[in-house]
Amino acid sequence: MTLNDEIFARLGDPGLEQIAGLLGTDTAQARTAVEAVVGTIVGGMAHNTGDSQGAQALRTALDDHVDRDPFSADPSDLEQEGQGILGHVLGRQGTEQAADGISQFAGLNSATVLKLLAALAPIVMSILANRASRQQMDAGAVADDLNKEQSATQGGMNDVLGGLLGSIFGGQGAGGAGGLGDVLGGLLGGAPPYQSQEPSQETPVDRPAPQRRPPRAADPENTNPDW
């Protein structure tokens, strides 16, 4: 079962209908938006685990998300946590690029997509954390699992996500009460707009030779694998 499958299983049809209402669209478009957001987050994580340092940083961070239930989290807390995760996975500029790309693909307002990204990021982390704990994955196994998640993306969605992630990384210098639908309702119904975090002023650190992908560009305004 993929991460998307697990999320949709938790939502159920009522939850997806609630999200569609919050997004002002139908359930098919809402499903597409969720799939695109999850695919982008997973793709960013997979990229960040392309070297041993990034993979170990993510594996260590997952331990803090085991047995947490973001589906019943307070919306404001979830948004804050999600923004932090996105800062590590995509970076400030990458998150904004992702929101713009997904908004064009899914036909949604980019500000709404930013909130959707922030809402789903902790959920992706929680599901991945519980999977890693349950299967006793080490850092390499988590990286491999993320690669499998990427490979599970099919057809046009795969093309869209591939192009979006390429621009970010390659072109840089069950519904009901307490469910995700209610959480998104809090986020989309009046939470303050996404505020970009200031880029880190720390000097980039040389990274070990990559084991799976080419090394990332050392850009303090983009991804930060040091969780």
Side-chain angles (χ1 to χ4, degrees):
M1 181 179 286
T2 66
L3 284 165
N4 266 319
D5 290 337
E6 292 193 47
I7 289 174
F8 287 126
R10 291 288 300 273
L11 280 174
D13 291 338
L16 189 59
E17 290 170 0
Q18 189 172 8
I19 291 178
L22 294 168
L23 297 177
T25 185
D26 57 26
T27 55
Q29 195 173 19
R31 177 179 286 272
T32 296
V34 172
E35 289 176 343
V37 165
V38 173
T40 301
I41 295 170
V42 168
M45 289 179 173
H47 182 89
N48 286 342
T49 58
D51 61 64
S52 58
Q53 182 178 343
Q56 187 57 57
L58 175 59
R59 181 63 190 90
T60 300
L62 290 177
D63 288 336
D64 293 332
H65 293 264
V66 176
D67 295 329
R68 295 175 64 178
D69 184 15
F71 284 88
S72 60
D74 178 83
S76 60
D77 291 342
L78 189 70
E79 182 178 35
Q80 183 176 6
E81 180 183 358
Q83 288 176 7
I85 292 170
L86 293 171
H88 289 295
V89 175
L90 299 173
R92 183 195 68 178
Q93 294 178 349
T95 299
E96 293 170 352
Q97 283 181 265
D100 289 341
I102 295 170
S103 68
Q104 294 178 32
F105 172 67
L108 298 169
N109 180 277
S110 61
T112 302
V113 175
L114 278 171
K115 293 178 180 295
L116 191 60
L117 278 159
L120 292 177
I123 293 169
V124 172
M125 281 288 287
S126 176
I127 292 175
L128 184 60
N130 288 322
R131 182 186 295 178
S133 176
R134 186 170 60 250
Q135 300 181 19
Q136 299 182 331
M137 295 181 180
D138 60 13
V142 169
D144 290 340
D145 190 58
L146 288 166
N147 289 332
K148 291 177 182 177
E149 287 284 344
Q150 280 193 296
S151 299
T153 305
Q154 301 294 328
M157 179 70 74
N158 185 52
D159 294 338
V160 169
L161 293 179
L164 178 57
L165 291 167
S167 69
I168 293 173
F169 296 110
Q172 60 190 30
L180 179 57
D182 291 336
V183 171
L184 287 173
L187 286 172
L188 301 175
Y194 174 88
Q195 298 295 322
S196 299
Q197 298 179 352
E198 291 298 320
S200 172
Q201 300 301 315
E202 296 179 359
T203 302
V205 179
D206 292 335
R207 306 193 183 284
Q211 296 179 345
R212 294 178 176 80
R213 292 184 176 80
R216 291 159 290 180
D219 181 356
E221 290 191 353
N222 214 326
T223 56
N224 175 12
D226 301 323
W227 298 75

